[in-house]
Amino acid sequence: MAELVAAFLFIGVVAYAVLGGADFGAGFWDLIAGGAKRGREPRHLIDVSLAPVWEANHTWLIYCLVVLWTGFPSAFAAITTTLYIPLLLALLGIVLRGAGFAFRKATVRTEEQRLYGAAFAVSSVLTPYCFGAIAGGLASGRVPTAGNGDAVSSWVNPSSILGGILAVLACSYVAATYLTVEALHRDDDKLYRYYRDRAIAAGAVTGAVSIAGIFVLQADSPRLFDRLSGPALPLVVLAAVGGLVGLALLWAKRTVGTRVAAAGAVALVIIGWGVAQTPYLLGTHLSITEAAAPDASLAVVVGVAIVAGLLIVPSLVLLFRLSGRGVVGVGDRPFRGGVTPWERGSGEGMTEGEGTAASKAERSGMAKGGVGAALTKGDRGTASAEGARGAGAEADRAPAVPPDPTAVQGAPRHRWVPYALCAGAVTATAVVGARATQPDARWYRELNTPDWQPPPWAFGAVWTPLYASIAVAGGRALNAARGPQRKALAGEFAANLALNAGWNNLFFRLRSPLAGLAGTLLLDASNIRLLTRVARTDRKAAATLLPYALWCAYATCLNASIVARNHEPRHRGPSKS
């Protein structure tokens, strides 16, 4: 159980590094963008890219802190009483960064904008450096088990300095990659070249510092060096390959897979660091099991983490997708579908002349009943002079219908409902399956299992993102389907989730691996049908479901091996003479 909670904690660390790290890296590019005139366009792209998501990404930091102090209270106490200076600086940086970002957009005087912009940019560099320094202090074993270690040398040392610099560089690389892709989506060749060159430079510098850091770790953190050059070496190599692939895709002007390659490279480096520290939480001492809370507390943490993941992850995915499509945003990426100036009640966001002319034209047409219906998709909520002149003629043919301010043109209403329903169904499936699972039961421990069976904690770590992927894919596919096709697809998802929950009951409640094998074979057949049906509706949703289907196939092989190894009955009657 302690290992499972540690895995959940590390999932949060990786997510915050990849998502929140991109936000911090954008602040670094804001800092070095130049003066007001030269840096106007790069900063504007940063603003419109960060505005919808920057607060949501800090959810992962809160998640990590809660899991750490609840699941491993002794480690939390040791870290906070030793590394309180960088922790306070990091939290202060987050607050100043948010305030600077918000107030910079609200002020109109150049001097104030520069002040708030400087606060945003400097704190965006300070915060990741402090987090990297904390990681270096932990990895080098400078945090004692009892806490209250040296408040300065614990984070001002070669390993911490290396960790801080690498954190800033990695965040800068990820942010530049994301912004390059954003510029490509906007067809802005100038900003594409601007951020592409910086992404390549950041990637190259990060690689050079990583190579130089090998000698630093060898001298200052020998255990971390040995583990990185041993068990974690494949992850480090894959991280380097992912970084190179991301840079190649940037150079080729590819948007598909570019951000995934960059984020994957950073995530693999962090996972490699985690593997190198295992089984210790404090680098060289205090193992995971020693620092763990009582089993009852750990069970609550696992349950809350699973439910929270199933509810929050789909919401974050939806937010990122809407932001990427430009459905939500600021600046030159307005709300799609048109919240018109008439719906806002004024010519907000326009010049005085434009606002007056547009609002008069729209009020004239709306009063006569039909300009809103006559606006084309490309108008994006602004009324042209021609539309205003033709309003009277249009009104003669169209009935007077008042505008619906809640309607979004060109998109189905309530698109969140399928996501919410799928998330609820998946949550119920996870709860039913978890209640039936009994990995500590005596009969299960006595089974002859293959060597390639993962440890018990790994199943929860794998199933959590898989359940989230089912909810996301289901919501996306149901949004894309229509009429009878949607009903059939919903039935297919319901049947699949019922078989998913049923396997746990067949295997553990009946204590029958053979019944479990029958259940998982039925689940595999259902997965094939589901993938086929979803692929006809939305191929991206089908691709999201693919890891789930592959894991179920692996579980079938594992179940079959258990059946083969335990095929003889445990109790035999008296033999006949």
Side-chain angles (χ1 to χ4, degrees):
M1 186 68 73
E3 290 83 359
L4 177 58
V5 175
F8 281 147
L9 173 62
F10 209 69
I11 290 172
V13 172
V14 173
Y16 186 59
V18 172
L19 300 174
D23 294 346
F24 292 125
F28 173 81
W29 298 119
D30 186 292
L31 179 64
I32 65 172
K37 183 177 180 180
R38 183 161 62 93
R40 179 185 177 189
E41 292 184 6
R43 289 192 177 102
H44 178 67
L45 183 61
I46 291 172
D47 286 347
V48 298
S49 301
L50 257 64
V53 299
W54 67 277
E55 288 182 295
N57 289 332
H58 289 305
T59 304
W60 294 108
L61 177 61
I62 300 172
Y63 167 87
C64 292
L65 291 174
V66 172
V67 173
L68 180 60
W69 83 52
T70 308
F72 308 98
S74 59
F76 180 82
I79 293 171
T80 53
T81 57
T82 301
L83 296 167
Y84 57 88
I85 294 179
L87 283 171
L88 289 175
L89 289 175
L91 294 177
L92 178 63
I94 291 174
V95 173
L96 290 177
R97 181 177 179 275
F101 184 75
F103 287 125
R104 180 174 69 174
K105 302 178 69 61
T107 55
V108 294
R109 296 179 58 186
T110 303
E111 295 79 6
E112 294 176 346
Q113 289 180 345
R114 286 175 177 172
L115 175 63
Y116 293 129
F120 165 72
V122 173
S123 58
S124 295
V125 176
L126 174 66
T127 302
Y129 179 87
C130 289
F131 282 136
I134 292 170
L138 290 172
S140 59
R142 287 182 166 88
V143 178
T145 302
N148 296 300
D150 192 293
V152 177
S153 64
S154 59
W155 69 287
V156 181
N157 57 75
S159 296
S160 292
I161 294 173
L162 174 65
I165 294 174
L166 282 177
V168 173
L169 290 174
C171 292
S172 303
Y173 164 65
V174 174
T177 303
Y178 288 7
L179 291 168
T180 304
V181 175
E182 183 70 15
L184 282 174
H185 285 160
R186 294 167 176 269
D187 296 325
D188 192 326
D189 193 61
K190 179 180 178 181
L191 284 179
Y192 156 71
R193 293 193 303 271
Y194 178 91
Y195 281 113
R196 179 203 64 188
D197 295 344
R198 281 153 180 78
I200 293 174
V205 174
T206 303
V209 173
S210 299
I211 295 173
I214 294 175
F215 303 99
V216 175
L217 294 179
Q218 189 175 17
D220 192 62
S221 303
R223 183 182 184 276
L224 180 63
F225 171 80
D226 292 339
R227 298 280 293 176
L228 285 175
S229 58
L233 183 60
L235 296 172
V236 176
V237 174
L238 286 175
V241 172
L244 293 174
V245 170
L247 294 177
L249 291 173
L250 282 178
W251 189 264
K253 284 191 175 183
R254 302 290 184 183
T255 58
V256 178
T258 304
R259 287 177 289 194
V260 175
V266 175
L268 286 170
V269 169
I270 298 173
I271 294 173
W273 166 65
V275 170
Q277 285 209 166
T278 305
Y280 299 113
L281 280 176
L282 301 182
T284 59
H285 50 277
L286 191 60
S287 67
I288 294 173
T289 54
E290 292 172 347
D295 289 342
S297 299
L298 295 179
V300 173
V301 172
V302 171
V304 172
I306 292 175
V307 174
L310 293 174
L311 294 177
I312 295 174
V313 170
S315 303
L316 292 175
V317 171
L318 179 61
L319 173 63
F320 295 146
R321 293 192 65 83
L322 294 177
S323 176
R325 292 175 179 176
V327 177
V328 293
V330 296
D332 60 348
R333 298 186 71 176
F335 288 86
R336 283 189 182 176
V339 178
T340 66
W342 168 251
E343 292 167 351
R344 288 194 299 262
S346 67
E348 180 183 357
M350 303 180 182
T351 63
E352 183 178 357
E354 291 172 335
T356 303
S359 59
K360 285 182 179 179
E362 287 195 343
R363 284 195 296 270
S364 173
M366 294 284 183
K368 295 181 180 179
V371 163
L375 290 177
T376 63
K377 182 179 180 182
D379 287 348
R380 302 296 183 189
T382 60
S384 64
E386 293 182 3
R389 286 195 300 268
E394 190 70 24
D396 294 337
R397 297 188 297 270
V401 178
D404 180 7
T406 64
V408 178
Q409 305 291 332
R413 298 176 64 182
H414 307 307
R415 291 179 64 88
W416 58 269
V417 173
Y419 287 98
L421 292 176
C422 288
V426 169
T427 302
T429 302
V431 171
V432 171
R435 288 177 62 88
T437 304
Q438 300 171 350
D440 296 330
R442 180 178 177 182
W443 76 271
Y444 180 74
R445 296 198 305 267
E446 291 177 352
L447 289 176
N448 183 8
T449 57
D451 296 336
W452 42 276
Q453 175 174 316
W457 61 265
F459 289 96
V462 171
W463 271 111
T464 300
L466 289 181
Y467 277 135
S469 70
I470 297 172
V472 172
R476 182 185 176 94
L478 291 176
N479 269 326
R482 295 290 181 270
Q485 185 185 25
R486 174 180 287 184
K487 293 182 179 179
L489 194 57
E492 199 71 51
F493 268 105
N496 186 272
L497 292 177
L499 289 171
N500 187 308
W503 176 87
N504 303 73
N505 289 273
L506 292 172
F507 191 97
F508 287 100
R509 289 194 182 277
L510 296 181
R511 298 185 178 184
S512 173
L514 185 59
L517 178 60
T520 190
L521 287 172
L522 290 175
L523 181 59
D524 289 334
S526 175
N527 285 337
I528 295 174
R529 284 178 53 87
L530 183 62
L531 280 172
T532 304
R533 191 179 292 273
V534 171
R536 295 172 185 168
T537 304
D538 191 310
R539 291 186 178 181
K540 290 184 178 180
T544 305
L545 284 173
L546 189 58
Y548 164 61
L550 293 175
W551 179 262
C552 289
Y554 167 77
T556 301
C557 297
L558 181 60
N559 200 328
S561 176
I562 293 175
V563 171
R565 290 168 175 266
N566 300 271
H567 64 281
E568 294 184 0
R570 296 187 179 183
H571 303 287
R572 296 183 179 182
S575 59
K576 296 181 180 180
S577 56

